[in-house]
């Protein structure tokens, strides 16, 4: 059974992923991490000019107290343990991202103190020197240094050393948003250090990845509205960088490319945002992680970007939307994607989210952890979404926190303004077919299973709604649904 699962998981990988998985296992990170003492800056740095970014939420509470993922920890009266793992690796990563350098109440003095405490943990802090946290932290340092006109040779030497390590560990073994974040970070480093070599590498990598990762309807190909917001925020940051800092010949061409991708992504995000500003929690999505749609739209306006008019229709991302007189519905008729990096995918084909009178009614349960545990397994399962499970099974074999083995494929049968019909083969030889029939005041969902069998249609109502069954009717807040 395990061999079959591994086969269905690994067969989708790209050769480049396999190559770098093997390379990075044979040459672990600690072998490429050199010393951080007695460094000298190899490049002349120059603080950058920006218009205001989207502010980060407050996560540093003073006196070495931090709060991430609703978990608070104090290192008061002790050194910060940058590798603390008692709350899971995602908490540790957030500590090392150092987003708090850009929170509204952060002072220059406290920020520099935290940076120097981090430097004292090197090179032993391998969690902090992994490529993804390094990418995010380096951008945060550059923004912080630029904001406060910090131009310290010792700090710059440590920053440049981290870029040297990052350049040797680009996440080709993962690809997707990780590699894109690596590339964006290289771009910021290139401008900060006026490093043409870094710029050429970043320019090529970003253009290649954005061409693949941003779909024709503007959606990010990992199909998570939350990660779409995160990537869009970074893209807007990069537009901010290029618009206000002239460093390299031909950067106007890259800026024009960024404008094109950003306007497309903004159009998609507008389509996927409910009237009250919420996004649906399809795949790995939740609240209070990414900037809101309103924040991103306001940022785009400050950068003089225009959203596509009319807004492009949702197509290649696999989502569809209908606005009734008093309801909004977004449905998922997409596949597990992308095939070679499905780490943020769920077993949720033909699920939907429904808002009534501008408020959530039927929701996606979202996520609360990235740990490999029962909670993570349940949150990715079919039963955690508004779709049909047959005999308690998942449509696709989600496992290991970020793995997908044998997976369902979806076929869109009818795709009109008032009807969306699709089917998937996740329970083969049984086929699950679902039709969404929209009208201004009503939504009718018809499910069909090609083989009679035991099945459950899960519906997840928002907690504020009181639900009870009365025969074949569902009564929500004393009203029949």
């Amino acid at each position: 059974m395990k061999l079959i699962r591994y086969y269905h998981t690994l067969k989708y990988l790209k050769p480049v992923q396999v190559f770098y998985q093997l390379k990075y296992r044979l040459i672990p990170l600690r072998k490429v991490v050199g010393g951080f003492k007695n460094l000298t800056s190899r490049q002349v740095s120059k603080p950058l000019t920006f218009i205001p970014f989207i502010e980060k939420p407050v996560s540093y509470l003073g006196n070495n107290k931090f709060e991430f993922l609703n978990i608070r920890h104090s290192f008061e009266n002790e050194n910060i343990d940058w590798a603390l793992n008692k709350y899971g690796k995602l908490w540790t990563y957030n500590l090392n991202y150092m987003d708090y350098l850009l929170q509204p109440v952060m002072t220059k003095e406290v920020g520099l103190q935290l940076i120097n405490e981090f430097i004292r943990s090197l090179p032993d802090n391998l969690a902090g020197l992994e490529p993804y946290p390094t990418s995010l932290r380096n951008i945060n340092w550059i923004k912080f240094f630029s904001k406060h006109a910090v131009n310290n040779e010792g700090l710059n030497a440590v920053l440049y050393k981290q870029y040297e390590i990052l350049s040797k560990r680009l996440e080709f073994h993962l690809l997707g948003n990780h590699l894109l974040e690596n590339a964006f970070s290289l771009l910021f480093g290139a401008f900060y250090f006026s490093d043409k070599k870094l710029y050429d590498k970043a320019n090529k990598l970003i253009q290649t990845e954005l061409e693949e990762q941003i779909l024709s309807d503007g959606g990010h190909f990992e199909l998570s509205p939350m990660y779409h917001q995160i990537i869009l925020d970074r893209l807007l940051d990069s537009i901010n960088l290029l618009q206000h800092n002239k460093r390299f010949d031909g950067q106007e061409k890259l800026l024009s490319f960024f404008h094109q991708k950003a306007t497309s992504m903004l159009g998609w995000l507008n389509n996927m945002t409910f009237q009250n500003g919420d996004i649906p929690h399809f795949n790995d999505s939740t609240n209070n992680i990414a900037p809101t749609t309103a924040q991103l739209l306001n940022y785009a306006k400050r950068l003089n970007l225009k959203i596509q008019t009319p807004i492009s229709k949702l197509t290649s991302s696999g989502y569809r939307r209908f606005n009734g007189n008093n309801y909004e519905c977004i449905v998922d008729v997409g596949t597990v994607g992308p095939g070679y990096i499905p780490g943020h995918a769920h077993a949720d084909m033909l699920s939907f989210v429904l808002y009534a009178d501008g408020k959530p009614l039927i929701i996606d349960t979202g996520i609360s952890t990235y740990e490999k545990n029962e909670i993570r397994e349940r949150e990715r399962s079919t039963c955690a979404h508004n779709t049909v499970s047959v005999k308690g099974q998942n449509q696709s074999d989600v496992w290991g926190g970020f793995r997908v083995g044998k997976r369902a494929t979806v076929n869109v049968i009818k795709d009109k303004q008032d009807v969306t019909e699709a089917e998937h083969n996740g329970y083969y030889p049984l086929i699950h077919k679902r039709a969404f029939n929209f009208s201004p005041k009503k939504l009718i969902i018809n499910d069909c299973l090609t083989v009679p069998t035991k099945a459950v249609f899960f519906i997840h109502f928002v907690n504020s709604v009181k639900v009870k069954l009365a025969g074949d009717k569902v009564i929500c807040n004393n009203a029949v649904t």
Side-chain angles (χ1 to χ4, degrees):
M1 181 64 181
K2 282 188 175 180
L3 288 177
I4 295 175
R5 169 177 274 181
Y6 283 130
Y7 167 74
H8 285 294
T9 301
L10 298 175
K11 70 179 183 179
Y12 294 94
L13 294 181
K14 288 188 172 184
V16 66
Q17 290 176 284
V18 177
F19 174 81
Y20 279 94
Q21 284 281 2
L22 294 173
K23 178 181 178 179
Y24 291 163
R25 290 174 189 272
L26 291 172
I27 309 174
L29 180 61
R30 62 180 169 285
K31 288 190 177 182
V32 300
V33 174
F36 281 85
K37 295 181 180 179
N38 303 317
L39 292 174
T40 56
S41 180
R42 301 183 183 181
Q43 297 284 340
V44 176
S45 65
K46 182 179 179 181
L48 301 167
T49 300
F50 301 104
I51 67 166
F53 300 99
I54 296 175
E55 290 184 336
K56 300 294 185 181
V58 174
S59 55
Y60 179 72
L61 310 176
N63 298 319
N64 285 356
K65 295 178 182 177
F66 299 87
E67 183 174 350
F68 309 111
L69 310 175
N70 296 317
I71 300 173
R72 185 174 297 188
H73 184 87
S74 174
F75 297 100
E76 195 172 7
N77 301 322
E78 61 177 306
N79 294 328
I80 296 172
D81 180 2
W82 297 92
L84 182 73
N85 62 4
K86 66 184 293 185
Y87 308 120
K89 202 163 188 179
L90 187 57
W91 198 98
T92 309
Y93 283 157
N94 273 273
L95 179 65
N96 284 274
Y97 296 159
M98 301 188 79
D99 283 347
Y100 40 82
L101 291 175
L102 305 174
Q103 67 185 38
V105 295
M106 180 58 63
T107 65
K108 176 180 178 180
E109 292 72 25
V110 172
L112 288 174
Q113 179 183 343
L114 291 167
I115 289 172
N116 281 306
E117 285 201 41
F118 173 83
I119 291 172
R120 282 192 287 271
S121 75
L122 301 175
D124 298 323
N125 178 14
L126 291 179
L129 289 175
E130 289 182 28
Y132 191 78
T134 296
S135 297
L136 274 58
R137 182 180 57 254
N138 283 5
I139 292 176
N140 289 331
W141 281 23
I142 289 171
K143 289 179 177 179
F144 180 83
F145 292 162
S146 298
K147 177 180 179 180
H148 296 286
V150 175
N151 197 354
N152 179 284
E153 183 175 335
L155 297 179
N156 288 338
V158 174
L159 176 62
Y160 195 77
K161 175 68 173 180
Q162 291 177 79
Y163 272 119
E164 289 182 328
I165 296 171
L166 175 62
S167 295
K168 296 175 183 177
R169 303 294 290 193
L170 296 174
E171 294 176 276
F172 287 105
H173 62 305
L174 297 177
L175 301 176
N177 74 85
H178 277 247
L179 184 59
L180 194 50
E181 289 283 17
N182 299 163
F184 280 130
S185 189
L186 293 179
L187 185 69
F188 270 76
F191 273 74
Y192 184 71
F193 289 110
S194 299
D195 189 316
K196 182 65 163 54
K197 187 175 180 180
L198 277 182
Y199 175 76
D200 288 342
K201 179 179 288 189
N203 185 359
K204 181 179 179 181
L205 195 53
I206 290 173
Q207 292 202 54
T208 299
E209 291 304 310
L210 283 178
E211 282 289 12
E212 178 177 11
Q213 294 191 32
I214 307 307
L215 303 172
S216 60
D217 66 357
H220 183 254
F221 76 160
E222 293 188 54
L223 307 181
S224 155
M226 182 186 78
Y227 275 94
H228 181 100
Q229 291 176 319
I230 291 171
I231 293 299
L232 177 55
D233 181 36
R234 188 68 72 214
L235 181 55
L236 294 177
D237 280 352
S238 300
I239 291 173
N240 194 348
L241 172 69
L242 268 66
Q243 281 187 179
H244 299 98
N245 301 276
K246 174 62 178 175
R247 291 288 194 276
F248 303 102
D249 292 336
Q251 71 180 63
E252 296 81 6
K253 184 177 180 181
L254 179 60
L255 179 59
S256 176
F257 176 75
F258 283 172
H259 279 198
Q260 172 197 342
K261 293 300 180 184
T263 53
S264 179
M265 292 183 74
L266 286 162
W268 185 90
L269 184 58
N270 251 352
N271 270 324
M272 290 292 290
T273 301
F274 294 106
Q275 292 177 14
N276 73 342
D278 291 350
I279 56 168
H281 292 165
F282 291 123
N283 294 309
D284 277 350
S285 296
T286 191
N287 294 325
N288 304 318
I289 299 295
T292 66
T293 298
Q295 287 177 308
L296 291 164
L297 290 173
N298 287 333
Y299 191 13
K301 289 177 182 176
R302 297 200 303 273
L303 292 168
N304 298 315
L305 287 174
K306 294 182 179 180
I307 302 171
Q308 290 180 346
T309 306
I311 297 173
S312 59
K313 182 181 177 182
L314 295 171
T315 53
S316 52
S317 60
Y319 296 112
R320 302 293 185 269
R321 178 185 182 122
F322 185 86
N323 293 334
N325 288 353
N326 66 336
Y327 75 90
E328 307 160 77
C329 183
I330 301 178
V331 306
D332 181 0
V333 291
T335 189
V336 171
Y340 61 88
I341 178 175
H344 296 298
H346 292 199
D348 63 350
M349 288 180 180
L350 311 188
S351 186
F352 68 101
V353 174
L354 181 68
Y355 275 45
D357 297 319
K359 299 177 182 179
L361 178 62
I362 297 174
I363 60 171
D364 197 296
T365 58
I367 57 168
S368 62
T369 181
Y370 277 167
E371 293 300 293
K372 297 177 183 178
N373 56 25
E374 290 183 5
I375 296 174
R376 174 69 172 160
E377 186 175 331
R378 182 173 66 251
E379 289 175 346
R380 296 181 76 203
S381 70
T382 298
C383 68
H385 302 88
N386 303 304
T387 187
V388 172
S389 175
V390 173
K391 297 181 180 179
Q393 300 175 26
N394 288 328
Q395 305 162 339
S396 297
D397 181 24
V398 289
W399 66 282
F402 296 93
R403 311 292 184 194
V404 183
K406 189 174 183 180
R407 57 201 68 172
T409 58
V410 68
N411 174 41
V412 178
I413 302 168
K414 190 177 294 185
D415 195 8
K416 296 183 177 180
Q417 184 175 353
D418 58 350
V419 178
T420 297
E421 184 177 356
E423 63 184 14
H424 74 82
N425 62 352
Y427 307 118
Y428 187 81
L430 180 152
I431 301 297
H432 173 213
K433 183 186 297 184
R434 169 170 282 186
F436 296 89
N437 297 277
F438 302 102
S439 63
K441 296 182 180 181
K442 186 183 299 185
L443 165 61
I444 298 176
I445 300 174
N446 291 321
D447 284 305
C448 176
L449 302 177
T450 56
V451 178
T453 189
K454 182 179 180 180
V456 178
F457 176 8
F458 288 92
I459 305 178
H460 299 271
F461 290 90
V462 69
N463 288 338
S464 59
V465 173
K466 296 180 180 179
V467 180
K468 65 179 181 179
L469 292 174
D472 61 351
K473 299 183 184 300
V474 178
I475 300 177
C476 301
N477 292 343
N478 298 319
V480 176
T481 299

